[in-house]
Amino acid sequence: MVSGVDSGADERLPDWVIWRQRPFPDANLLLIDGREPALVDSGFVGHAQRTAEWVRAHSGNLTRVVNTHWHADHVGGNGLLQAGGAGIAAGAPDADAIARRDPGCCAAEYLDQPVAPYTVDEPLDDGQLLRLGDADWEVLHTPGHTPGHVALWQPEERLLVVGDALSDYDVGWVNLALDGPDAATTAVASLQRLADLEPRVLLPAHGPIPAEPTAAFAAALRRGRRLVDDPDGAIWYGARRIFAFALMIRGGISADEVESYLLARAWLVDAAALLRRTPETLAAELIDTMIRSGAVVVRDNRLHAAAEYSPVMPETLQAPFPRAWPAPAGRRGL
Ligand SMILES: [Zn+2]
């Protein structure tokens, strides 16, 4: 069973859009039904089976999975759904990197977030029209949270799928170490472009559907500009999100091992350099501030993420990193 509640008769959504909010480590489920059923994002690898079952329960054969971006909580079901016959569509830069098995794919190794192997059948460019369900959707390249991030716009219904560009409560975190010092400025420009569409309904990949799209954009833009003005704050924000995700997918990390876990992570070492600290200092400070803020709780000598999440079976974390993925079998095209 997938935890969460189906959108059911959400009066804001047409009946061919089926949406279910899911806690971390999964992106929300979004199915666009019709002659070409499409799923937007496919959750975490540890819950791929549940994702596939949910799709089967709500639709016929899936034509496509569209990825808003390649983070592990958005592409984990790709491999399984692709094996079942769905094509995978993703932003062109991500598609190229996936095709050559670039070790940086999905930032999987960098963030220590496993992803099952997949290939991209359909690279997406800005402005391209995609038939999802029975409607045409426009692909919008919206870099910031990741360089290849895309959003999807359905102009008749004024529906806007925003991935991790923003949620009801926040702007997506940015990775200044991987994507450069302008990542936050880029994210704000993408947010503004999305806000200018004045959508009727915003569909974020995490959290609820915002009651007021305008208010959600205003809050996200405020937060985004703060990330631009305070790069150190942006790095801290990212580090807290990455660490919380690690705790969730591992069912917590032993208090005796957590420092050595963090010190072995590329993202922690990079963040420490940008924050002008040693990795040891940053690891200790990160643990300390997150315990003090209540974002991390210590139970039975283990550190756990305090936020709601669905547990993951440890064996599902065994997926190889992209550098070890088998070569793509060749694009099937759609
Ligand atoms: Zn993301």
Side-chain angles (χ1 to χ4, degrees):
M1 285 297 292
V2 174
S3 55
V5 180
D6 278 335
S7 54
D10 188 313
E11 71 283 359
R12 291 170 292 183
L13 296 176
D15 60 5
W16 41 269
V17 173
I18 305 158
W19 182 85
R20 178 184 280 228
Q21 189 179 332
R22 279 207 286 191
F24 279 101
D26 296 293
N28 293 334
L29 287 162
L30 173 61
L31 182 67
I32 302 163
D33 207 7
R35 281 185 293 269
E36 297 182 47
L39 180 73
V40 180
D41 291 334
S42 63
F44 185 63
V45 62
H47 299 146
Q49 208 69 50
R50 296 180 193 181
T51 301
E53 281 163 20
W54 183 86
V55 169
R56 261 198 305 278
H58 289 88
S59 181
N61 285 339
L62 207 54
T63 302
R64 277 192 185 85
V65 177
V66 185
N67 295 142
T68 58
H69 64 296
W70 64 12
H71 280 157
D73 46 332
H74 296 254
V75 299
N78 281 8
L80 185 65
L81 292 165
Q82 188 161 44
I88 307 294
D94 294 5
D96 290 346
I98 295 272
R100 49 169 204 275
R101 295 330 202 195
D102 188 302
C105 279
C106 306
E109 193 165 341
Y110 187 82
L111 300 174
D112 195 30
Q113 299 176 358
V115 173
Y118 66 94
T119 57
V120 177
D121 303 290
E122 195 178 16
L124 303 176
D125 291 313
D126 186 60
Q128 184 175 340
L129 287 185
L130 262 188
R131 190 84 175 160
L132 306 178
D134 292 324
D136 286 328
W137 294 70
E138 188 184 346
V139 174
L140 306 169
H141 181 217
T142 46
H145 175 66
T146 67
H149 191 283
V150 297
L152 297 166
W153 170 237
Q154 210 299 311
E156 284 80 29
E157 289 286 343
R158 308 190 67 75
L159 305 177
L160 185 59
V161 176
V162 296
D164 279 0
L166 74 154
S167 66
D168 195 25
Y169 49 88
D170 224 331
V171 65
W173 63 276
V174 290
N175 196 330
L176 301 188
L178 268 192
D179 303 330
D182 295 332
T185 308
T186 305
V188 169
S190 290
L191 271 181
Q192 191 59 60
R193 183 182 179 201
L194 295 173
D196 289 345
L197 293 169
E198 299 181 3
R200 185 175 62 79
V201 185
L202 261 188
L203 291 155
H206 300 286
I209 296 176
E212 295 283 347
T214 321
F217 274 120
L221 279 162
R222 252 193 327 270
R223 286 274 301 151
R225 289 187 194 110
R226 234 190 289 160
L227 300 183
V228 173
D229 294 341
D230 177 15
D232 283 9
I235 295 157
W236 273 105
Y237 175 42
R240 288 194 300 267
R241 299 300 299 268
I242 300 164
F243 183 36
F245 195 89
L247 294 175
M248 289 178 190
I249 64 175
R250 287 171 178 74
I253 298 178
S254 146
D256 307 324
E257 289 163 10
V258 68
E259 293 218 21
S260 55
Y261 172 81
L262 287 172
L263 292 176
R265 304 281 74 87
W267 63 265
L268 187 285
V269 173
D270 279 359
L274 290 176
L275 291 168
R276 303 161 303 278
R277 286 162 168 79
T278 63
E280 289 77 8
T281 310
L282 178 59
E285 244 182 292
L286 184 61
I287 294 166
D288 187 51
T289 53
M290 287 184 71
I291 290 175
R292 273 193 287 125
S293 74
V296 168
V297 291
V298 185
R299 244 185 354 254
D300 305 328
N301 203 40
R302 281 178 87 76
L303 277 67
H304 298 270
E308 186 205 358
Y309 66 94
S310 336
V312 170
M313 302 297 279
E315 58 269 26
T316 62
L317 302 179
Q318 300 305 316
F321 286 130
R323 68 169 74 242
W325 286 3
R331 285 184 184 162
R332 289 168 297 169
L334 283 168

